[in-house]
């Protein structure tokens, strides 16, 4: 990657909101859009992860979803209650939401419009995988290939998060910077579901950087409502024609491994890569396998389309 090809964060006006984005890689390389998950800023796609993908011949774009980081913060909605979750799970009573995953998919397409990109390779993690699926379903001509990481179809039959992961998701927001930094470390320890001392050593710095960019607890709640209100994509995913790669960890406590398997089973000709010992995170020790798989998948799709 040409070092001068890195563009610092900028703001785009897309789909009626401001979206903060950043680009790594050469302008004429294959465009690859990274979509992050629930409550996670674009910097959770680690700088070095983005640089390594760019070095493989991609123009890597990461961005803050609406309601997080430096993108527009929305308004409305109340904190999700356990009672609402119970009604959804057992009575199928929908959760109210101020926006849905389709709106976030339109944000994504709007960003591509601003950047003058007709179609791109989409790589989404967790909720980002759900948004990438929705873009692929609603705007198929904009997608060169789809990579869905540690995500699911919205199928209610997929097992729920572990009790520990669910409790972490529903915990009240921290009240101070110190509490946030401590909570950040605790959260990722649960999500990684294993021993990763090399990652834990980096967590305080990551937390500091995230805190400095700004927190929006109410926005995280709205994002969660968007996921729950959007229902299942399982039947619609049968119509996907984009080349699809599904990556999932074998010990994911938040989106259980069955979620990845259900995604791959729902999309015709999807390839499934289960990574042994990976939880709901992207530790550096798994990067060679993940980046290698994305590289091979996206470049193969590009070659077939040429």
């Amino acid at each position: 990657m040409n070092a001068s090809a890195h563009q610092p964060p900028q703001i785009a006006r897309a789909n009626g909101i401001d979206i903060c984005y950043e680009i790594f890689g050469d302008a004429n390389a294959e465009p690859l859009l990274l979509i992050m998950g629930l409550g996670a800023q674009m910097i959770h796609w680690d700088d070095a992860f983005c640089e390594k993908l760019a070095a493989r011949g991609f123009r890597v774009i990461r961005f803050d979803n609406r309601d997080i980081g430096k993108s527009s913060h929305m308004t409305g909605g109340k904190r999700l209650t356990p009672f609402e979750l119970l009604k959804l799970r057992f009575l199928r009573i929908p959760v109210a939401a101020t926006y849905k995953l389709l709106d976030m998919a339109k944000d994504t397409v709007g960003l591509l419009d601003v950047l003058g990109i007709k179609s791109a390779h989409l790589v989404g993690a967790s909720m980002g995988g759900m948004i990438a699926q929705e873009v692929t379903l609603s705007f198929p001509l904009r997608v060169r290939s789809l990579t869905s990481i540690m995500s699911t179809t919205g199928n209610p039959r997929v097992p729920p998060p572990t009790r520990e992961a669910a409790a972490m998701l529903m915990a009240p927001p921290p009240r101070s910077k110190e509490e946030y930094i401590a909570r950040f470390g605790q959260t990722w320890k649960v999500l990684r579901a294993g021993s990763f001392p090399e990652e834990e050593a980096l967590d305080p710095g990551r937390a500091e950087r995230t805190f400095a960019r700004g927190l929006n607890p109410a926005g995280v709640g709205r994002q969660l409502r968007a996921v729950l209100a959007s229902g299942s994509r399982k039947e619609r995913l049968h119509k996907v024609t984009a080349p699809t790669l599904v990556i999932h960890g074998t010990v994911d406590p938040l989106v259980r491994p069955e979620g990845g398997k259900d995604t791959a089973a729902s999309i015709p000709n999807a390839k499934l890569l289960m990574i042994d010992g990976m939880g709901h995170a992207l530790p550096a020790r798994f990067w060679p396998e993940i980046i290698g798989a994305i590289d091979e998948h996206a470049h193969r799709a590009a070659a077939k389309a040429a």
Side-chain angles (χ1 to χ4, degrees), residues 271-294:
K271 179 184 176 184
L272 175 63
L273 172 61
M274 297 298 295
I275 298 185
D276 191 43
M278 188 173 93
H280 199 78
L282 299 171
R285 72 171 70 160
F286 297 125
W287 289 1
E289 193 171 2
I290 295 168
I291 291 171
I294 294 170

Side-chain angles (χ1 to χ4, degrees), residues 133-144:
Q133 291 172 24
E134 190 59 58
V135 174
T136 307
L137 289 165
S138 299
F139 307 95
L141 297 180
R142 308 307 296 267
V143 182
R144 299 186 188 189

Side-chain angles (χ1 to χ4, degrees), residues 2 5 7 23-31 58-60 115 117:
N2 180 353
Q7 298 178 24
I23 298 177
F24 301 79
D26 298 314
N28 59 354
E30 285 285 322
F58 295 105
R59 183 188 185 197
V60 179
L115 296 174
I117 298 172

